[in-house]
Amino acid sequence: MSMDPQLIQTIVREVLASLEADTQQTPDSSVPIAISARHVHLSEEHIEQLFGKGYQLTKRADLSQPGQFAAEETVHIAGPKGSFTRVRVLGPARKLTQVEVSQTDTITLGVSAPVRESGDIAGSAGVTLIGPKGSLYLNEGLIVAQAHIHMSPQDAARYQVQDQEYVEVLIDSDRPLRFQRVKVRVSDRYRLEMHIDTDEANAAFLQKKGRGQLIKAGEVVPQQIALEQTQVKQVSSERITYTKKLLTKEDVESLQGKEVRLPKGTIVTDLAKDFARERGIALSFETGK
Ligand SMILES: [Zn+2]
């Protein structure tokens, strides 16, 4: 039998409303995002080489992470193919000098730098630093920073994640993007913020700041996003496990199997049920929790 289009509209509205109510009950997984432009961290020794004996960095502005600041000082960085002038120095001084650039920047410089966590510079790329009082060639220290999230132990408990764990972050922008292998870094000195570079921000169409949704690896995608994606895991040609929250007639049409297992709580529209029956597709719910 066919259904009245008006009735279908009503059903869709009801289902969407119930999904929205569900979403509002789930804890907030939103994370603020800051974009890091290319910058330099300098050791005491290198500050002196570039700016002069006994030189101290001058604070220009505090950064979001407590104690970290953007300095008034800038340096030039140069590679075999190109250079950048006025690259911001961040303070305070560190044990090891580190230059963080985007992948696009490495192309301009003419070097190939690895994606690394801050501080992990062994075997990374080399670069020349030029300051007002001198210059130096850094054998290693040029990296493309890996996307990461700083958070306090309280935040980590709230998101149920651990220090050094990899998570995913969904960006809902004009060009939505899902970041994978985002490193969680937990310390009571940290303030909640995800750090990405300018290439990553541009890819996700973010300007200045943004927000993303933290997803634990293996976690079901939040409902409002799941609605836009059909995620069908092919178990065998005959049996299929469906991982979306809402099963519509269109979804049933796209399924090839004769038996479809649905996670408990999946909403099946009446139209989908009718259609499955017509096609002889068995819909069943997974048991257990
Ligand atoms: Zn950071």
Side-chain angles (χ1 to χ4, degrees), residues 33-48:
I33 298 172
I35 303 156
S36 305
R38 72 181 77 95
H39 63 269
V40 175
H41 299 279
L42 296 172
S43 66
E44 300 275 10
E45 184 199 339
H46 289 162
I47 291 172
E48 293 201 342

Side-chain angles (χ1 to χ4, degrees), residues 207-251:
Q207 275 140 16
K208 296 252 160 80
K209 275 182 184 295
R211 292 193 83 83
Q213 269 189 294
L214 185 151
I215 295 168
K216 272 177 76 79
E219 190 176 291
V220 173
V221 177
Q223 285 155 354
Q224 64 270 40
I225 292 147
L227 271 174
E228 292 162 18
Q229 297 174 346
T230 305
Q231 294 196 322
V232 179
K233 192 168 68 191
Q234 192 93 25
V235 173
S236 75
S237 59
E238 285 294 284
R239 196 171 152 192
I240 275 168
T241 300
Y242 189 77
T243 59
K244 221 171 100 175
K245 292 281 177 181
L246 171 69
L247 188 79
T248 65
K249 182 191 165 214
E250 271 186 3
D251 296 326

Side-chain angles (χ1 to χ4, degrees), residues 251-270:
D251 296 326
V252 179
E253 274 178 314
S254 71
L255 299 174
Q256 299 298 317
K258 289 283 170 207
E259 189 190 342
V260 180
R261 300 282 286 169
L262 303 168
K264 218 176 149 197
T266 304
I267 297 158
V268 182
T269 66
D270 287 342

Side-chain angles (χ1 to χ4, degrees), residues 83-131:
S83 63
F84 292 102
T85 59
R86 290 187 296 280
V87 178
R88 187 64 55 193
V89 175
L90 303 190
R94 288 199 179 180
K95 246 190 218 120
L96 294 171
T97 293
Q98 176 176 307
V99 181
E100 296 177 44
V101 296
S102 70
Q103 171 79 338
T104 304
D105 290 345
T106 67
I107 295 164
T108 305
L109 292 168
V111 291
S112 149
V115 174
R116 289 286 179 83
E117 241 185 282
S118 186
D120 175 20
I121 58 165
S124 61
V127 69
T128 299
L129 304 183
I130 304 138

